Amino acid sequence: VTLAQSCSNASPGLQERAAGALWGLSVSEANSIAIGREGGVAPLIALARSDAEDVHETAAGALWNLAFNHSNALRIVEEGGVPALVHLCSSSLSKMARFMAALALAYMFDGSRIDEFAPMSSSSESTSKSVSLDGARRMALKHIEAFIRTFSNPQAFAAAAASSAPAALAQVTEKARIQEAGHLRCSGAEIGRFVSMLRNSSSILKACAAFALLQFTIPGGRHALHHASLMQGGGAARVLRAAAAAATSPIEAKIFARI
């Protein structure tokens, strides 16, 4: 954390390694909590604003891991992380950075109510914080939706919706595939979080969850079978079928869930 705090004027290579070290360490929930308590959120947000793709990609990965924890999610909001993640989600040339920024935002606003973890304060301060969180949530959802739609081809989706032929679904899959995402390995808790997100009242978060689960299970991915096994063990098939059949779900959520 101290290295990340002190390397703002260092070479992009050192910045990438500092953020990358925190990304690797934050896979452990205990480490993730420790990184947040030691002040690791603010320097990662600063590194996420870097113009260097390798730097903001690794910082986005670390923030994604940290955001899984409610206290860290609140810290990210309070340290101004939402605009930084929104900028990455919409502007990075790295699909992976955009993907991980979208997932971090989804974790932060998926209904876990990070406002409940805010310190007790006066009524006026609480109201202001509530308004601030609500605005941040709207901003996050807007850009998550825009990100998901960049992988949506209207013709391919219409063909997939009208037919269950493998070729129609394969065309959508290839358009949606983020090659590097096949190297990501998720825990059972993370997979469970996305499966729960499929039941979220927000259609945007449903689509994000279906898109994420698709990335983690596309055949050929390094950990695809591991993720599929975790999903099977967690009863995800039933939830995915429900999401694919729900009349109110956006077409992206329905098609990604079917695949």
mmCIF file of all heavy atoms in Angstrom, residues 23 53-65 85 88-105 147 150-151 176-186 211-212 215-216 223 227:
data_model
loop_
_atom_site.group_PDB
_atom_site.id
_atom_site.type_symbol
_atom_site.label_atom_id
_atom_site.label_comp_id
_atom_site.label_asym_id
_atom_site.label_seq_id
_atom_site.Cartn_x
_atom_site.Cartn_y
_atom_site.Cartn_z
ATOM 1 N N TRP A 23 -3.703 -6.277 -6.547
ATOM 2 C CA TRP A 23 -4.734 -7.093 -7.211
ATOM 3 C C TRP A 23 -4.564 -8.559 -6.824
ATOM 4 O O TRP A 23 -5.517 -9.235 -6.428
ATOM 5 C CB TRP A 23 -4.629 -6.908 -8.726
ATOM 6 C CG TRP A 23 -5.684 -7.634 -9.524
ATOM 7 C CD1 TRP A 23 -6.803 -8.265 -9.057
ATOM 8 C CD2 TRP A 23 -5.710 -7.797 -10.952
ATOM 9 N NE1 TRP A 23 -7.523 -8.815 -10.100
ATOM 10 C CE2 TRP A 23 -6.876 -8.539 -11.267
ATOM 11 C CE3 TRP A 23 -4.868 -7.380 -11.974
ATOM 12 C CZ2 TRP A 23 -7.203 -8.875 -12.581
ATOM 13 C CZ3 TRP A 23 -5.207 -7.712 -13.283
ATOM 14 C CH2 TRP A 23 -6.358 -8.446 -13.578
ATOM 15 N N GLU A 53 -2.518 1.982 -20.126
ATOM 16 C CA GLU A 53 -3.507 0.887 -20.117
ATOM 17 C C GLU A 53 -3.148 -0.206 -19.112
ATOM 18 O O GLU A 53 -4.006 -0.690 -18.378
ATOM 19 C CB GLU A 53 -3.612 0.309 -21.521
ATOM 20 C CG GLU A 53 -4.731 -0.684 -21.716
ATOM 21 C CD GLU A 53 -4.873 -1.089 -23.168
ATOM 22 O OE1 GLU A 53 -5.103 -0.205 -24.026
ATOM 23 O OE2 GLU A 53 -4.735 -2.296 -23.452
ATOM 24 N N ASP A 54 -1.876 -0.583 -19.055
ATOM 25 C CA ASP A 54 -1.476 -1.649 -18.132
ATOM 26 C C ASP A 54 -1.705 -1.243 -16.683
ATOM 27 O O ASP A 54 -2.021 -2.089 -15.836
ATOM 28 C CB ASP A 54 -0.002 -2.012 -18.340
ATOM 29 C CG ASP A 54 0.235 -2.759 -19.643
ATOM 30 O OD1 ASP A 54 -0.748 -3.269 -20.210
ATOM 31 O OD2 ASP A 54 1.395 -2.826 -20.099
ATOM 32 N N VAL A 55 -1.528 0.052 -16.396
ATOM 33 C CA VAL A 55 -1.694 0.544 -15.022
ATOM 34 C C VAL A 55 -3.165 0.547 -14.637
ATOM 35 O O VAL A 55 -3.558 -0.012 -13.605
ATOM 36 C CB VAL A 55 -1.094 1.957 -14.855
ATOM 37 C CG1 VAL A 55 -1.352 2.477 -13.442
ATOM 38 C CG2 VAL A 55 0.400 1.944 -15.152
ATOM 39 N N HIS A 56 -4.001 1.172 -15.471
ATOM 40 C CA HIS A 56 -5.410 1.263 -15.059
ATOM 41 C C HIS A 56 -6.114 -0.091 -15.153
ATOM 42 O O HIS A 56 -7.111 -0.328 -14.471
ATOM 43 C CB HIS A 56 -6.169 2.379 -15.803
ATOM 44 C CG HIS A 56 -6.360 2.206 -17.271
ATOM 45 N ND1 HIS A 56 -5.951 3.144 -18.199
ATOM 46 C CD2 HIS A 56 -6.974 1.240 -17.992
ATOM 47 C CE1 HIS A 56 -6.293 2.762 -19.419
ATOM 48 N NE2 HIS A 56 -6.927 1.601 -19.313
ATOM 49 N N GLU A 57 -5.580 -1.008 -15.936
ATOM 50 C CA GLU A 57 -6.176 -2.349 -16.002
ATOM 51 C C GLU A 57 -5.946 -3.105 -14.689
ATOM 52 O O GLU A 57 -6.877 -3.712 -14.140
ATOM 53 C CB GLU A 57 -5.581 -3.122 -17.175
ATOM 54 C CG GLU A 57 -6.262 -4.431 -17.466
ATOM 55 C CD GLU A 57 -5.711 -5.093 -18.721
ATOM 56 O OE1 GLU A 57 -6.082 -4.668 -19.832
ATOM 57 O OE2 GLU A 57 -4.890 -6.020 -18.585
ATOM 58 N N THR A 58 -4.714 -3.075 -14.181
ATOM 59 C CA THR A 58 -4.436 -3.782 -12.927
ATOM 60 C C THR A 58 -5.107 -3.090 -11.745
ATOM 61 O O THR A 58 -5.585 -3.761 -10.821
ATOM 62 C CB THR A 58 -2.919 -3.892 -12.677
ATOM 63 O OG1 THR A 58 -2.315 -2.602 -12.829
ATOM 64 C CG2 THR A 58 -2.262 -4.858 -13.634
ATOM 65 N N ALA A 59 -5.188 -1.755 -11.778
ATOM 66 C CA ALA A 59 -5.880 -1.034 -10.701
ATOM 67 C C ALA A 59 -7.367 -1.378 -10.698
ATOM 68 O O ALA A 59 -7.976 -1.554 -9.636
ATOM 69 C CB ALA A 59 -5.686 0.472 -10.864
ATOM 70 N N ALA A 60 -7.964 -1.495 -11.886
ATOM 71 C CA ALA A 60 -9.382 -1.868 -11.980
ATOM 72 C C ALA A 60 -9.601 -3.267 -11.413
ATOM 73 O O ALA A 60 -10.597 -3.520 -10.725
ATOM 74 C CB ALA A 60 -9.850 -1.815 -13.438
ATOM 75 N N GLY A 61 -8.660 -4.183 -11.683
ATOM 76 C CA GLY A 61 -8.776 -5.527 -11.138
ATOM 77 C C GLY A 61 -8.735 -5.532 -9.620
ATOM 78 O O GLY A 61 -9.521 -6.235 -8.962
ATOM 79 N N ALA A 62 -7.837 -4.725 -9.052
ATOM 80 C CA ALA A 62 -7.738 -4.649 -7.596
ATOM 81 C C ALA A 62 -9.001 -4.039 -6.994
ATOM 82 O O ALA A 62 -9.509 -4.523 -5.975
ATOM 83 C CB ALA A 62 -6.507 -3.825 -7.202
ATOM 84 N N LEU A 63 -9.521 -2.995 -7.614
ATOM 85 C CA LEU A 63 -10.742 -2.352 -7.102
ATOM 86 C C LEU A 63 -11.937 -3.294 -7.220
ATOM 87 O O LEU A 63 -12.824 -3.293 -6.353
ATOM 88 C CB LEU A 63 -11.002 -1.035 -7.847
ATOM 89 C CG LEU A 63 -10.022 0.097 -7.508
ATOM 90 C CD1 LEU A 63 -10.195 1.260 -8.479
ATOM 91 C CD2 LEU A 63 -10.232 0.579 -6.067
ATOM 92 N N TRP A 64 -11.978 -4.097 -8.270
ATOM 93 C CA TRP A 64 -13.047 -5.094 -8.408
ATOM 94 C C TRP A 64 -13.019 -6.046 -7.215
ATOM 95 O O TRP A 64 -14.047 -6.297 -6.576
ATOM 96 C CB TRP A 64 -12.880 -5.841 -9.730
ATOM 97 C CG TRP A 64 -13.737 -7.069 -9.877
ATOM 98 C CD1 TRP A 64 -15.028 -7.223 -9.445
ATOM 99 C CD2 TRP A 64 -13.378 -8.318 -10.485
ATOM 100 N NE1 TRP A 64 -15.493 -8.486 -9.751
ATOM 101 C CE2 TRP A 64 -14.499 -9.179 -10.396
ATOM 102 C CE3 TRP A 64 -12.227 -8.775 -11.108
ATOM 103 C CZ2 TRP A 64 -14.483 -10.475 -10.907
ATOM 104 C CZ3 TRP A 64 -12.221 -10.066 -11.620
ATOM 105 C CH2 TRP A 64 -13.337 -10.902 -11.517
ATOM 106 N N ASN A 65 -11.828 -6.572 -6.903
ATOM 107 C CA ASN A 65 -11.722 -7.476 -5.756
ATOM 108 C C ASN A 65 -12.101 -6.778 -4.454
ATOM 109 O O ASN A 65 -12.820 -7.334 -3.622
ATOM 110 C CB ASN A 65 -10.293 -8.015 -5.646
ATOM 111 C CG ASN A 65 -10.005 -9.124 -6.645
ATOM 112 O OD1 ASN A 65 -10.910 -9.654 -7.281
ATOM 113 N ND2 ASN A 65 -8.736 -9.468 -6.796
ATOM 114 N N LEU A 85 -14.064 4.833 -11.943
ATOM 115 C CA LEU A 85 -14.478 3.551 -12.521
ATOM 116 C C LEU A 85 -15.417 3.758 -13.714
ATOM 117 O O LEU A 85 -15.341 3.018 -14.704
ATOM 118 C CB LEU A 85 -15.155 2.692 -11.455
ATOM 119 C CG LEU A 85 -14.216 2.101 -10.398
ATOM 120 C CD1 LEU A 85 -15.002 1.541 -9.219
ATOM 121 C CD2 LEU A 85 -13.324 1.013 -11.001
ATOM 122 N N LEU A 88 -13.277 4.609 -16.668
ATOM 123 C CA LEU A 88 -12.657 3.399 -17.219
ATOM 124 C C LEU A 88 -13.670 2.568 -17.988
ATOM 125 O O LEU A 88 -13.393 2.072 -19.074
ATOM 126 C CB LEU A 88 -12.072 2.543 -16.090
ATOM 127 C CG LEU A 88 -10.722 2.909 -15.502
ATOM 128 C CD1 LEU A 88 -10.255 1.808 -14.566
ATOM 129 C CD2 LEU A 88 -9.696 3.149 -16.586
ATOM 130 N N CYS A 89 -14.845 2.401 -17.394
ATOM 131 C CA CYS A 89 -15.890 1.559 -17.981
ATOM 132 C C CYS A 89 -16.298 2.056 -19.359
ATOM 133 O O CYS A 89 -16.641 1.271 -20.235
ATOM 134 C CB CYS A 89 -17.092 1.542 -17.034
ATOM 135 S SG CYS A 89 -18.377 0.386 -17.495
ATOM 136 N N SER A 90 -16.236 3.367 -19.560
ATOM 137 C CA SER A 90 -16.718 3.942 -20.814
ATOM 138 C C SER A 90 -15.604 4.308 -21.788
ATOM 139 O O SER A 90 -15.852 4.408 -22.994
ATOM 140 C CB SER A 90 -17.554 5.198 -20.533
ATOM 141 O OG SER A 90 -16.775 6.161 -19.838
ATOM 142 N N SER A 91 -14.369 4.493 -21.296
ATOM 143 C CA SER A 91 -13.343 5.097 -22.147
ATOM 144 C C SER A 91 -12.084 4.279 -22.369
ATOM 145 O O SER A 91 -11.320 4.571 -23.288
ATOM 146 C CB SER A 91 -12.933 6.466 -21.566
ATOM 147 O OG SER A 91 -14.053 7.298 -21.408
ATOM 148 N N SER A 92 -11.816 3.288 -21.527
ATOM 149 C CA SER A 92 -10.558 2.544 -21.673
ATOM 150 C C SER A 92 -10.537 1.773 -22.992
ATOM 151 O O SER A 92 -11.561 1.257 -23.446
ATOM 152 C CB SER A 92 -10.383 1.565 -20.511
ATOM 153 O OG SER A 92 -9.219 0.776 -20.716
ATOM 154 N N LEU A 93 -9.355 1.708 -23.586
ATOM 155 C CA LEU A 93 -9.184 0.905 -24.803
ATOM 156 C C LEU A 93 -9.030 -0.569 -24.471
ATOM 157 O O LEU A 93 -9.066 -1.421 -25.353
ATOM 158 C CB LEU A 93 -7.958 1.400 -25.579
ATOM 159 C CG LEU A 93 -8.039 2.836 -26.111
ATOM 160 C CD1 LEU A 93 -6.756 3.212 -26.840
ATOM 161 C CD2 LEU A 93 -9.248 3.010 -27.023
ATOM 162 N N SER A 94 -8.861 -0.870 -23.185
ATOM 163 C CA SER A 94 -8.749 -2.256 -22.737
ATOM 164 C C SER A 94 -10.125 -2.806 -22.390
ATOM 165 O O SER A 94 -10.798 -2.301 -21.493
ATOM 166 C CB SER A 94 -7.843 -2.336 -21.495
ATOM 167 O OG SER A 94 -8.024 -3.555 -20.806
ATOM 168 N N LYS A 95 -10.561 -3.841 -23.093
ATOM 169 C CA LYS A 95 -11.849 -4.463 -22.771
ATOM 170 C C LYS A 95 -11.838 -5.017 -21.348
ATOM 171 O O LYS A 95 -12.852 -4.993 -20.655
ATOM 172 C CB LYS A 95 -12.163 -5.596 -23.753
ATOM 173 C CG LYS A 95 -12.580 -5.136 -25.138
ATOM 174 C CD LYS A 95 -12.956 -6.338 -25.988
ATOM 175 C CE LYS A 95 -13.385 -5.923 -27.385
ATOM 176 N NZ LYS A 95 -13.742 -7.101 -28.216
ATOM 177 N N MET A 96 -10.680 -5.534 -20.927
ATOM 178 C CA MET A 96 -10.585 -6.088 -19.581
ATOM 179 C C MET A 96 -10.770 -5.011 -18.526
ATOM 180 O O MET A 96 -11.447 -5.219 -17.515
ATOM 181 C CB MET A 96 -9.235 -6.777 -19.396
ATOM 182 C CG MET A 96 -9.223 -8.208 -19.840
ATOM 183 S SD MET A 96 -10.216 -9.280 -18.764
ATOM 184 C CE MET A 96 -9.080 -9.522 -17.415
ATOM 185 N N ALA A 97 -10.153 -3.841 -18.730
ATOM 186 C CA ALA A 97 -10.306 -2.744 -17.769
ATOM 187 C C ALA A 97 -11.758 -2.309 -17.700
ATOM 188 O O ALA A 97 -12.302 -2.078 -16.610
ATOM 189 C CB ALA A 97 -9.412 -1.566 -18.160
ATOM 190 N N ARG A 98 -12.400 -2.228 -18.853
ATOM 191 C CA ARG A 98 -13.809 -1.827 -18.885
ATOM 192 C C ARG A 98 -14.677 -2.874 -18.188
ATOM 193 O O ARG A 98 -15.602 -2.537 -17.436
ATOM 194 C CB ARG A 98 -14.254 -1.622 -20.332
ATOM 195 C CG ARG A 98 -13.580 -0.420 -21.005
ATOM 196 C CD ARG A 98 -13.829 -0.401 -22.503
ATOM 197 N NE ARG A 98 -15.238 -0.268 -22.789
ATOM 198 C CZ ARG A 98 -15.824 -0.745 -23.891
ATOM 199 N NH1 ARG A 98 -15.108 -1.413 -24.784
ATOM 200 N NH2 ARG A 98 -17.100 -0.571 -24.082
ATOM 201 N N PHE A 99 -14.380 -4.144 -18.433
ATOM 202 C CA PHE A 99 -15.127 -5.243 -17.824
ATOM 203 C C PHE A 99 -14.990 -5.217 -16.301
ATOM 204 O O PHE A 99 -15.983 -5.258 -15.563
ATOM 205 C CB PHE A 99 -14.590 -6.566 -18.393
ATOM 206 C CG PHE A 99 -15.234 -7.814 -17.857
ATOM 207 C CD1 PHE A 99 -16.610 -7.951 -17.772
ATOM 208 C CD2 PHE A 99 -14.443 -8.896 -17.452
ATOM 209 C CE1 PHE A 99 -17.198 -9.123 -17.292
ATOM 210 C CE2 PHE A 99 -15.014 -10.066 -16.989
ATOM 211 C CZ PHE A 99 -16.397 -10.175 -16.892
ATOM 212 N N MET A 100 -13.761 -5.128 -15.810
ATOM 213 C CA MET A 100 -13.548 -5.160 -14.368
ATOM 214 C C MET A 100 -14.087 -3.904 -13.685
ATOM 215 O O MET A 100 -14.583 -3.972 -12.551
ATOM 216 C CB MET A 100 -12.068 -5.382 -14.057
ATOM 217 C CG MET A 100 -11.614 -6.776 -14.472
ATOM 218 S SD MET A 100 -9.910 -7.191 -14.050
ATOM 219 C CE MET A 100 -9.010 -6.038 -15.089
ATOM 220 N N ALA A 101 -14.033 -2.767 -14.365
ATOM 221 C CA ALA A 101 -14.636 -1.556 -13.801
ATOM 222 C C ALA A 101 -16.149 -1.728 -13.674
ATOM 223 O O ALA A 101 -16.751 -1.351 -12.661
ATOM 224 C CB ALA A 101 -14.307 -0.344 -14.676
ATOM 225 N N ALA A 102 -16.771 -2.326 -14.692
ATOM 226 C CA ALA A 102 -18.217 -2.560 -14.651
ATOM 227 C C ALA A 102 -18.576 -3.519 -13.519
ATOM 228 O O ALA A 102 -19.569 -3.320 -12.814
ATOM 229 C CB ALA A 102 -18.704 -3.128 -15.989
ATOM 230 N N LEU A 103 -17.754 -4.562 -13.322
ATOM 231 C CA LEU A 103 -18.031 -5.524 -12.261
ATOM 232 C C LEU A 103 -17.854 -4.889 -10.883
ATOM 233 O O LEU A 103 -18.620 -5.179 -9.957
ATOM 234 C CB LEU A 103 -17.123 -6.746 -12.393
ATOM 235 C CG LEU A 103 -17.267 -7.576 -13.675
ATOM 236 C CD1 LEU A 103 -16.462 -8.864 -13.565
ATOM 237 C CD2 LEU A 103 -18.723 -7.888 -13.979
ATOM 238 N N ALA A 104 -16.851 -4.030 -10.737
ATOM 239 C CA ALA A 104 -16.653 -3.330 -9.463
ATOM 240 C C ALA A 104 -17.865 -2.464 -9.144
ATOM 241 O O ALA A 104 -18.371 -2.460 -8.010
ATOM 242 C CB ALA A 104 -15.386 -2.481 -9.519
ATOM 243 N N LEU A 105 -18.356 -1.741 -10.142
ATOM 244 C CA LEU A 105 -19.538 -0.890 -9.946
ATOM 245 C C LEU A 105 -20.763 -1.740 -9.612
ATOM 246 O O LEU A 105 -21.580 -1.358 -8.762
ATOM 247 C CB LEU A 105 -19.789 -0.047 -11.192
ATOM 248 C CG LEU A 105 -18.748 1.040 -11.481
ATOM 249 C CD1 LEU A 105 -18.942 1.612 -12.887
ATOM 250 C CD2 LEU A 105 -18.830 2.169 -10.444
ATOM 251 N N PHE A 147 -21.910 -0.218 -21.291
ATOM 252 C CA PHE A 147 -20.836 -1.186 -21.530
ATOM 253 C C PHE A 147 -21.395 -2.496 -22.072
ATOM 254 O O PHE A 147 -20.900 -3.032 -23.072
ATOM 255 C CB PHE A 147 -20.069 -1.435 -20.224
ATOM 256 C CG PHE A 147 -19.155 -2.634 -20.283
ATOM 257 C CD1 PHE A 147 -17.986 -2.603 -21.023
ATOM 258 C CD2 PHE A 147 -19.477 -3.805 -19.597
ATOM 259 C CE1 PHE A 147 -17.154 -3.711 -21.087
ATOM 260 C CE2 PHE A 147 -18.655 -4.910 -19.661
ATOM 261 C CZ PHE A 147 -17.487 -4.866 -20.406
ATOM 262 N N THR A 150 -22.393 -2.535 -25.725
ATOM 263 C CA THR A 150 -21.365 -2.540 -26.769
ATOM 264 C C THR A 150 -21.107 -3.953 -27.287
ATOM 265 O O THR A 150 -20.502 -4.132 -28.338
ATOM 266 C CB THR A 150 -20.027 -1.948 -26.253
ATOM 267 O OG1 THR A 150 -19.528 -2.756 -25.177
ATOM 268 C CG2 THR A 150 -20.203 -0.517 -25.786
ATOM 269 N N PHE A 151 -21.579 -4.962 -26.562
ATOM 270 C CA PHE A 151 -21.417 -6.352 -26.979
ATOM 271 C C PHE A 151 -22.712 -6.915 -27.580
ATOM 272 O O PHE A 151 -22.824 -8.113 -27.807
ATOM 273 C CB PHE A 151 -20.991 -7.215 -25.786
ATOM 274 C CG PHE A 151 -19.639 -6.853 -25.247
ATOM 275 C CD1 PHE A 151 -19.519 -5.891 -24.259
ATOM 276 C CD2 PHE A 151 -18.489 -7.435 -25.757
ATOM 277 C CE1 PHE A 151 -18.269 -5.534 -23.766
ATOM 278 C CE2 PHE A 151 -17.237 -7.084 -25.272
ATOM 279 C CZ PHE A 151 -17.126 -6.126 -24.271
ATOM 280 N N ALA A 176 -19.428 -11.379 -27.937
ATOM 281 C CA ALA A 176 -19.354 -10.977 -26.529
ATOM 282 C C ALA A 176 -18.035 -11.355 -25.870
ATOM 283 O O ALA A 176 -17.673 -10.781 -24.847
ATOM 284 C CB ALA A 176 -20.500 -11.624 -25.750
ATOM 285 N N ARG A 177 -17.299 -12.317 -26.420
ATOM 286 C CA ARG A 177 -16.114 -12.862 -25.754
ATOM 287 C C ARG A 177 -15.049 -11.795 -25.501
ATOM 288 O O ARG A 177 -14.667 -11.038 -26.402
ATOM 289 C CB ARG A 177 -15.500 -13.981 -26.608
ATOM 290 C CG ARG A 177 -14.280 -14.642 -25.962
ATOM 291 C CD ARG A 177 -13.545 -15.512 -26.972
ATOM 292 N NE ARG A 177 -14.338 -16.640 -27.411
ATOM 293 C CZ ARG A 177 -14.288 -17.856 -26.870
ATOM 294 N NH1 ARG A 177 -13.468 -18.082 -25.855
ATOM 295 N NH2 ARG A 177 -15.027 -18.830 -27.346
ATOM 296 N N ILE A 178 -14.573 -11.734 -24.255
ATOM 297 C CA ILE A 178 -13.391 -10.945 -23.889
ATOM 298 C C ILE A 178 -12.290 -11.971 -23.641
ATOM 299 O O ILE A 178 -12.313 -12.670 -22.632
ATOM 300 C CB ILE A 178 -13.644 -10.076 -22.642
ATOM 301 C CG1 ILE A 178 -14.791 -9.091 -22.896
ATOM 302 C CG2 ILE A 178 -12.373 -9.315 -22.248
ATOM 303 C CD1 ILE A 178 -15.196 -8.288 -21.671
ATOM 304 N N GLN A 179 -11.358 -12.065 -24.556
ATOM 305 C CA GLN A 179 -10.390 -13.164 -24.547
ATOM 306 C C GLN A 179 -9.661 -13.283 -23.218
ATOM 307 O O GLN A 179 -9.530 -14.372 -22.648
ATOM 308 C CB GLN A 179 -9.383 -12.957 -25.683
ATOM 309 C CG GLN A 179 -8.650 -14.227 -26.090
ATOM 310 C CD GLN A 179 -9.560 -15.234 -26.803
ATOM 311 O OE1 GLN A 179 -10.422 -14.857 -27.588
ATOM 312 N NE2 GLN A 179 -9.371 -16.504 -26.497
ATOM 313 N N GLU A 180 -9.192 -12.149 -22.695
ATOM 314 C CA GLU A 180 -8.391 -12.190 -21.464
ATOM 315 C C GLU A 180 -9.204 -12.593 -20.239
ATOM 316 O O GLU A 180 -8.645 -13.043 -19.231
ATOM 317 C CB GLU A 180 -7.733 -10.828 -21.217
ATOM 318 C CG GLU A 180 -6.788 -10.358 -22.305
ATOM 319 C CD GLU A 180 -7.500 -9.593 -23.410
ATOM 320 O OE1 GLU A 180 -8.753 -9.677 -23.483
ATOM 321 O OE2 GLU A 180 -6.808 -8.924 -24.188
ATOM 322 N N ALA A 181 -10.527 -12.437 -20.307
ATOM 323 C CA ALA A 181 -11.371 -12.782 -19.163
ATOM 324 C C ALA A 181 -11.338 -14.274 -18.876
ATOM 325 O O ALA A 181 -11.653 -14.704 -17.767
ATOM 326 C CB ALA A 181 -12.812 -12.329 -19.407
ATOM 327 N N GLY A 182 -10.935 -15.057 -19.874
ATOM 328 C CA GLY A 182 -10.822 -16.496 -19.687
ATOM 329 C C GLY A 182 -9.733 -16.891 -18.708
ATOM 330 O O GLY A 182 -9.679 -18.037 -18.264
ATOM 331 N N HIS A 183 -8.856 -15.934 -18.357
ATOM 332 C CA HIS A 183 -7.785 -16.214 -17.403
ATOM 333 C C HIS A 183 -8.193 -15.903 -15.961
ATOM 334 O O HIS A 183 -7.465 -16.243 -15.029
ATOM 335 C CB HIS A 183 -6.538 -15.396 -17.757
ATOM 336 C CG HIS A 183 -5.966 -15.736 -19.099
ATOM 337 N ND1 HIS A 183 -5.311 -16.926 -19.359
ATOM 338 C CD2 HIS A 183 -5.954 -15.043 -20.274
ATOM 339 C CE1 HIS A 183 -4.921 -16.953 -20.624
ATOM 340 N NE2 HIS A 183 -5.298 -15.833 -21.194
ATOM 341 N N LEU A 184 -9.335 -15.236 -15.789
ATOM 342 C CA LEU A 184 -9.775 -14.884 -14.439
ATOM 343 C C LEU A 184 -10.309 -16.121 -13.716
ATOM 344 O O LEU A 184 -11.001 -16.944 -14.312
ATOM 345 C CB LEU A 184 -10.872 -13.812 -14.504
ATOM 346 C CG LEU A 184 -10.469 -12.452 -15.088
ATOM 347 C CD1 LEU A 184 -11.696 -11.569 -15.235
ATOM 348 C CD2 LEU A 184 -9.426 -11.769 -14.209
ATOM 349 N N ARG A 185 -10.014 -16.226 -12.439
ATOM 350 C CA ARG A 185 -10.521 -17.337 -11.629
ATOM 351 C C ARG A 185 -11.326 -16.760 -10.468
ATOM 352 O O ARG A 185 -10.812 -15.968 -9.675
ATOM 353 C CB ARG A 185 -9.372 -18.190 -11.089
ATOM 354 C CG ARG A 185 -9.842 -19.401 -10.256
ATOM 355 C CD ARG A 185 -8.652 -20.168 -9.698
ATOM 356 N NE ARG A 185 -9.058 -21.263 -8.813
ATOM 357 C CZ ARG A 185 -9.225 -22.511 -9.187
ATOM 358 N NH1 ARG A 185 -9.026 -22.858 -10.460
ATOM 359 N NH2 ARG A 185 -9.582 -23.450 -8.321
ATOM 360 N N CYS A 186 -12.586 -17.151 -10.375
ATOM 361 C CA CYS A 186 -13.483 -16.643 -9.336
ATOM 362 C C CYS A 186 -13.694 -17.684 -8.252
ATOM 363 O O CYS A 186 -13.678 -18.890 -8.513
ATOM 364 C CB CYS A 186 -14.843 -16.273 -9.938
ATOM 365 S SG CYS A 186 -14.771 -14.896 -11.081
ATOM 366 N N PHE A 211 -23.830 -11.544 -18.264
ATOM 367 C CA PHE A 211 -22.653 -11.306 -19.105
ATOM 368 C C PHE A 211 -21.392 -11.802 -18.407
ATOM 369 O O PHE A 211 -20.544 -12.463 -19.025
ATOM 370 C CB PHE A 211 -22.537 -9.808 -19.406
ATOM 371 C CG PHE A 211 -21.366 -9.437 -20.271
ATOM 372 C CD1 PHE A 211 -21.416 -9.642 -21.643
ATOM 373 C CD2 PHE A 211 -20.221 -8.873 -19.721
ATOM 374 C CE1 PHE A 211 -20.335 -9.298 -22.455
ATOM 375 C CE2 PHE A 211 -19.143 -8.533 -20.520
ATOM 376 C CZ PHE A 211 -19.197 -8.736 -21.884
ATOM 377 N N ALA A 212 -21.272 -11.520 -17.107
ATOM 378 C CA ALA A 212 -20.097 -11.947 -16.351
ATOM 379 C C ALA A 212 -20.013 -13.474 -16.287
ATOM 380 O O ALA A 212 -18.952 -14.057 -16.536
ATOM 381 C CB ALA A 212 -20.135 -11.359 -14.947
ATOM 382 N N GLN A 215 -18.775 -14.858 -19.504
ATOM 383 C CA GLN A 215 -17.326 -14.721 -19.679
ATOM 384 C C GLN A 215 -16.574 -15.797 -18.910
ATOM 385 O O GLN A 215 -15.588 -16.354 -19.397
ATOM 386 C CB GLN A 215 -16.861 -13.336 -19.203
ATOM 387 C CG GLN A 215 -17.402 -12.161 -19.985
ATOM 388 C CD GLN A 215 -17.063 -12.213 -21.461
ATOM 389 O OE1 GLN A 215 -15.997 -12.678 -21.863
ATOM 390 N NE2 GLN A 215 -17.999 -11.747 -22.280
ATOM 391 N N PHE A 216 -17.041 -16.094 -17.708
ATOM 392 C CA PHE A 216 -16.323 -17.031 -16.840
ATOM 393 C C PHE A 216 -16.512 -18.495 -17.257
ATOM 394 O O PHE A 216 -15.789 -19.365 -16.769
ATOM 395 C CB PHE A 216 -16.769 -16.861 -15.382
ATOM 396 C CG PHE A 216 -16.533 -15.482 -14.832
ATOM 397 C CD1 PHE A 216 -17.452 -14.887 -13.983
ATOM 398 C CD2 PHE A 216 -15.386 -14.766 -15.162
ATOM 399 C CE1 PHE A 216 -17.235 -13.618 -13.470
ATOM 400 C CE2 PHE A 216 -15.166 -13.488 -14.662
ATOM 401 C CZ PHE A 216 -16.088 -12.914 -13.811
ATOM 402 N N HIS A 223 -10.374 -21.386 -16.656
ATOM 403 C CA HIS A 223 -11.095 -21.846 -15.462
ATOM 404 C C HIS A 223 -12.587 -22.066 -15.726
ATOM 405 O O HIS A 223 -13.384 -22.083 -14.805
ATOM 406 C CB HIS A 223 -10.914 -20.836 -14.331
ATOM 407 C CG HIS A 223 -9.473 -20.530 -14.031
ATOM 408 N ND1 HIS A 223 -8.613 -21.462 -13.503
ATOM 409 C CD2 HIS A 223 -8.741 -19.399 -14.231
ATOM 410 C CE1 HIS A 223 -7.409 -20.917 -13.357
ATOM 411 N NE2 HIS A 223 -7.461 -19.681 -13.791
ATOM 412 N N HIS A 227 -15.554 -22.857 -12.965
ATOM 413 C CA HIS A 227 -16.680 -21.945 -12.725
ATOM 414 C C HIS A 227 -18.016 -22.645 -12.982
ATOM 415 O O HIS A 227 -18.983 -22.447 -12.238
ATOM 416 C CB HIS A 227 -16.556 -20.703 -13.617
ATOM 417 C CG HIS A 227 -15.369 -19.857 -13.292
ATOM 418 N ND1 HIS A 227 -14.683 -19.137 -14.239
ATOM 419 C CD2 HIS A 227 -14.728 -19.632 -12.111
ATOM 420 C CE1 HIS A 227 -13.689 -18.487 -13.662
ATOM 421 N NE2 HIS A 227 -13.689 -18.783 -12.377
#
